[in-house]
Amino acid sequence: MPRKRHGRVRTKHTNGRAALLLSTMNPADYNVRPGEVRTIACPDCRTWRRIMGDTVLKVREHRIDTVGQGEEPTPCPGSDQLVVIDIDVRRWQARQDRLLRDAMPQENRRAAQQFYKPFPTPAAPVHRLASREPQTLVRLVRLLEQTRHAGLAHRVNCSLCRGGGRCETGRGLEIAFQEMRATCWIAREQQARARRLAIQQMREARAAQESTRRTQLLLAGQADQLRRAVPQGGRPTEGPEVPMVPLAPRQAAEQLEGDQLTCGHCGATASSLVDAVSAGWCRITRRPHCGRCAARFPAWTRTSF
């Protein structure tokens, strides 16, 4: 396992150059983030190297790789270069973070804080809508009482107003009282007018509903009269009568040929299908049952005729 080497300076030797100020370099050519290893791009070989030391900062000693050119590695002139951090690290870090976010694709961007759409305000209940309307009038009445009490208090304390005259303050209070009283009167008239208009609209809506209901009942009565009308002429004397209640094709086919129906449970009989339907008869497993016997079975098993 390789031994971990600490980042302290082991020699006082430098390359003899003046100290390299970070303020004179490109902000993207060094990394001095707190909590990370300090690195810098060597100005001579343009490779990233570690900055050694805590108080005296120097570029770590390194060599220029020229093996690919058939030569031996040579020491880089930028080794042991003194470095001075003369910038505001927080401002530099904020700028680098902003540049990193700008260079990031739009689909990868995400806010650090999630913003949720606020829930809409719930509507007021119906029983509170009526109490909201007169709030303005109640507030005006309260202001009217306050103005009147202010005028009375001024009249008690002012000798000129108490003697029958009017000072500037008393005249202003009296004018304010009259204006507030006129405003309250106008608000009462507007509220009464709105109430009368709402009552009229309600009556018109009820009248329209009643008229529609009467029309529907009239049309239903006419349809019933046409349905009950029997055509003129003779009819065959043999064969069962045609039932007056609507029947499904399957039910009509299953109906017995005779007029009398017999309960499949107790043996009770009904004279006709119309009497059986009116008495609450129904089918259970395709057999007729009277209303008393059918009540003993579950509702989902009962089928009307």
Side-chain angles (χ1 to χ4, degrees):
M1 180 176 181
R3 181 171 58 88
K4 182 178 180 181
R5 302 181 61 182
H6 299 281
R8 67 174 182 269
V9 180
R10 291 180 172 82
T11 177
K12 297 182 180 179
H13 176 72
T14 62
N15 58 1
R17 298 180 183 177
L20 181 62
L21 304 179
L22 295 185
S23 59
T24 60
M25 298 182 61
N26 187 358
D29 289 345
Y30 53 85
N31 178 25
V32 290
R33 295 178 182 271
E36 298 183 7
V37 179
R38 298 172 181 171
T39 55
I40 188 173
C42 179
D44 295 279
C45 61
R46 301 303 299 171
T47 57
W48 284 90
R49 299 298 175 181
R50 185 175 178 180
I51 300 177
M52 310 296 291
D54 295 330
T55 57
V56 180
L57 305 179
K58 295 192 300 183
V59 180
R60 188 173 184 175
E61 182 180 359
H62 58 281
R63 297 174 178 273
I64 300 177
D65 189 5
T66 57
V67 178
Q69 301 177 2
E71 302 178 1
E72 296 183 357
T74 57
C76 179
S79 300
D80 297 330
Q81 171 66 47
L82 292 176
V83 179
V84 178
I85 302 177
D86 60 339
I87 62 172
D88 189 353
V89 178
R90 293 184 179 179
R91 185 177 300 177
W92 170 84
Q93 183 177 0
R95 181 181 179 185
Q96 294 299 315
D97 293 341
R98 184 174 63 255
L99 294 176
L100 182 61
R101 288 194 303 268
D102 295 342
M104 186 180 302
Q106 185 175 4
E107 58 271 10
N108 295 343
R109 300 178 186 175
R110 186 174 182 180
Q113 181 180 1
Q114 297 294 329
F115 297 94
Y116 299 95
K117 183 178 180 181
F119 291 99
T121 305
V126 178
H127 65 277
R128 293 184 181 179
L129 293 179
S131 61
R132 285 190 174 187
E133 297 181 357
Q135 286 184 359
T136 304
L137 182 59
V138 172
R139 186 167 58 253
L140 291 177
V141 172
R142 189 182 300 113
L143 293 177
L144 178 63
E145 291 296 327
Q146 293 177 1
T147 307
R148 186 175 66 84
H149 287 300
L152 293 177
H154 173 76
R155 186 175 299 177
V156 172
N157 298 326
C158 181
S159 59
L160 181 60
C161 296
R162 188 170 58 252
R166 288 291 183 275
C167 64
E168 293 295 335
T169 305
R171 186 179 296 106
L173 291 175
E174 187 174 356
I175 292 175
F177 173 73
Q178 296 297 334
E179 291 179 351
M180 187 60 62
R181 184 166 62 176
T183 304
C184 291
W185 182 82
I186 294 174
R188 288 194 184 96
E189 290 295 329
Q190 291 179 352
Q191 184 177 352
R193 181 180 178 183
R195 187 181 295 108
R196 290 194 300 268
L197 182 59
I199 294 174
Q200 182 179 359
Q201 292 178 354
M202 187 181 301
R203 290 177 180 176
E204 292 178 355
R206 290 181 179 178
Q209 292 179 0
E210 188 65 22
S211 177
T212 303
R213 180 173 175 275
R214 290 178 181 177
T215 304
Q216 293 178 354
L217 291 177
L218 180 60
L219 295 177
Q222 293 178 359
D224 292 340
Q225 292 179 1
L226 294 176
R227 192 180 298 110
R228 294 192 187 97
V230 180
Q232 298 294 335
R235 59 178 181 177
T237 56
E238 66 278 358
E241 296 183 355
V242 178
M244 301 301 296
V245 295
L247 294 175
R250 180 179 58 82
Q251 297 175 354
E254 295 177 356
Q255 184 179 358
L256 299 177
E257 296 182 358
D259 294 339
Q260 188 176 5
L261 296 177
T262 305
C263 178
H265 186 267
C266 65
T269 59
S271 60
S272 63
L273 181 61
V274 177
D275 296 340
V277 172
S278 60
W281 285 50
C282 59
R283 289 180 179 272
I284 300 176
T285 62
R286 297 185 179 182
R287 291 187 300 174
H289 286 70
C290 62
R292 184 177 58 181
C293 298
R296 301 178 182 179
F297 295 88
W300 59 272
T301 60
R302 297 193 293 266
T303 307
S304 59
F305 286 96

